[in-house]
Amino acid sequence: MSASTVHLRVLRQDDPKRPETRRWEEFKVPALPQMNVIAALQQVQKNPVTLDGKRVAPVAWEAVCLEEICGACTMLVNGRVRQACSTLVDHIAPNGERITLEPLTKFPLLRDLIVDRSSMFESLKRVKAWIQLDGTRDQGPGPRESPEQQQVRYHLSQCMTCGCCLEACPQITERSSFIGPAAISQVRLFNLHASGARNAPERLDAVMGNGGIEDCGKSQNCVEVCPKQIPLIDSLAEVSRDTTKRLLFGWILR
Ligand code: SF4
């Protein structure tokens, strides 16, 4: 690391119901080797004194796995949506440049850098993003799945519900009810599963209504920001095809 300090500019708000508490605060903390943004925030937590010498409440943020698996630390770093845990300070500010941190804008704010991503989990419930089990008794070996299909599904299964794709999607607004690419990609994941396919019609019905696949504006921003490089455009195209088929021929299958 070339710089000896890390300069953070953090957008803060104490309470979602008190927008008047929204403000920028700046901190300088000691730089450590291989430091990520979370480690820089931990330094602020140790000594929450702003650049102008004011002692303030420690910055609030969320983090769980610290290995880009849980998605909890997703935030805007220098305006780009990403995980704070996998963002190395050295990579984005090699010479001690100022790093700007803001909370996601497409989710309700809780405090400082913490937002409420419950809407994503509600969307997963809406599309039944699970394999339905018929009891816990031994039912023998499950259906066979080709290695090729396993590969496709493995990639889709890496979604960590981080919200990057929703943050980047212009169709997600305060007035829209679009469920977003992540949940639609999970429809593809579970419909491709040999057992999960039994509930495919219900999943397709769930994305054919209000806020479903028809609301996708095909901006393709989602695939640009997905940290897991999930082929979201393929998922959107495939689910769109399947819903069209269901619309045209679904009554035959009832
Ligand atoms: Fe995050 Fe990618 Fe899942 Fe969207 S699809 S929630 S960007 S991991």
Side-chain angles (χ1 to χ4, degrees):
M1 172 165 290
S2 31
S4 58
T5 55
V6 180
H7 185 173
L8 296 180
R9 182 172 187 250
V10 185
L11 183 60
R12 306 196 59 181
Q13 186 169 328
D14 300 341
D15 184 328
K17 294 198 187 83
R18 292 172 55 219
E20 70 278 9
T21 63
R22 191 177 156 94
R23 65 204 180 274
W24 288 99
E25 282 178 358
E26 297 195 32
F27 305 88
K28 267 198 178 165
V29 296
L32 304 171
Q34 300 300 320
M35 192 178 212
N36 60 11
V37 168
I38 294 290
L41 284 167
Q42 284 169 336
Q43 292 293 319
V44 173
Q45 195 174 40
K46 270 194 202 166
N47 185 29
V49 176
T50 61
L51 260 189
D52 47 11
K54 209 165 101 194
R55 182 160 288 275
V56 293
V59 176
W61 77 91
E62 201 178 20
V64 183
C65 73
L66 299 180
E67 50 183 339
E68 208 187 69
I69 289 178
C70 73
C73 66
T74 305
M75 60 182 74
L76 296 173
V77 181
N78 288 344
R80 185 185 148 195
V81 65
R82 57 197 302 174
Q83 281 68 52
C85 68
S86 54
T87 304
L88 294 181
V89 167
D90 239 1
H91 288 181
I92 56 169
N95 301 309
E97 296 90 338
R98 191 172 67 179
I99 299 171
T100 302
L101 305 180
E102 296 166 81
L104 298 181
T105 61
K106 303 285 178 84
F107 300 90
L109 180 78
L110 294 178
R111 186 185 173 121
D112 293 343
L113 300 171
I114 305 178
V115 296
D116 179 1
R117 287 178 300 132
S118 306
S119 59
M120 291 193 78
F121 300 100
E122 290 304 320
S123 296
L124 293 180
K125 285 193 225 165
R126 169 173 162 177
V127 303
K128 293 188 169 33
W130 56 76
I131 304 290
Q132 195 116 4
L133 284 179
D134 182 15
T136 53
R137 67 190 187 285
D138 182 5
Q139 297 175 69
R144 281 176 178 268
E145 193 173 30
S146 70
E148 293 76 22
Q149 199 168 16
Q150 284 172 13
Q151 277 307 308
V152 173
R153 291 203 325 102
Y154 173 69
H155 209 169
L156 302 178
S157 75
Q158 287 180 299
C159 176
M160 53 181 170
T161 330
C162 65
C164 287
C165 54
L166 275 75
E167 181 69 22
C169 176
Q171 298 299 103
I172 305 281
T173 66
E174 271 178 13
R175 280 176 295 162
S176 90
S177 55
F178 183 39
I179 61 172
I184 293 172
S185 190
Q186 294 298 295
V187 168
R188 182 182 177 208
L189 168 67
F190 287 99
N191 284 2
L192 279 174
H193 189 278
S195 301
R198 280 185 305 185
N199 299 96
E202 292 163 61
R203 291 193 197 95
L204 294 176
D205 287 347
V207 291
M208 283 162 73
N210 206 16
I213 184 80
E214 283 298 308
D215 286 5
C216 171
K218 302 178 181 59
S219 70
Q220 309 198 3
N221 287 6
C222 53
V223 79
E224 296 293 328
V225 296
C226 176
K228 298 295 179 185
Q229 287 91 44
I230 294 173
L232 292 167
I233 301 304
D234 295 352
S235 293
L236 291 162
E238 194 162 315
V239 171
S240 179
R241 254 195 321 270
D242 290 348
T243 52
T244 305
K245 278 193 221 153
R246 175 140 180 84
L247 200 64
L248 293 174
F249 309 113
W251 57 275
I252 300 175
L253 307 171
R254 279 186 207 277

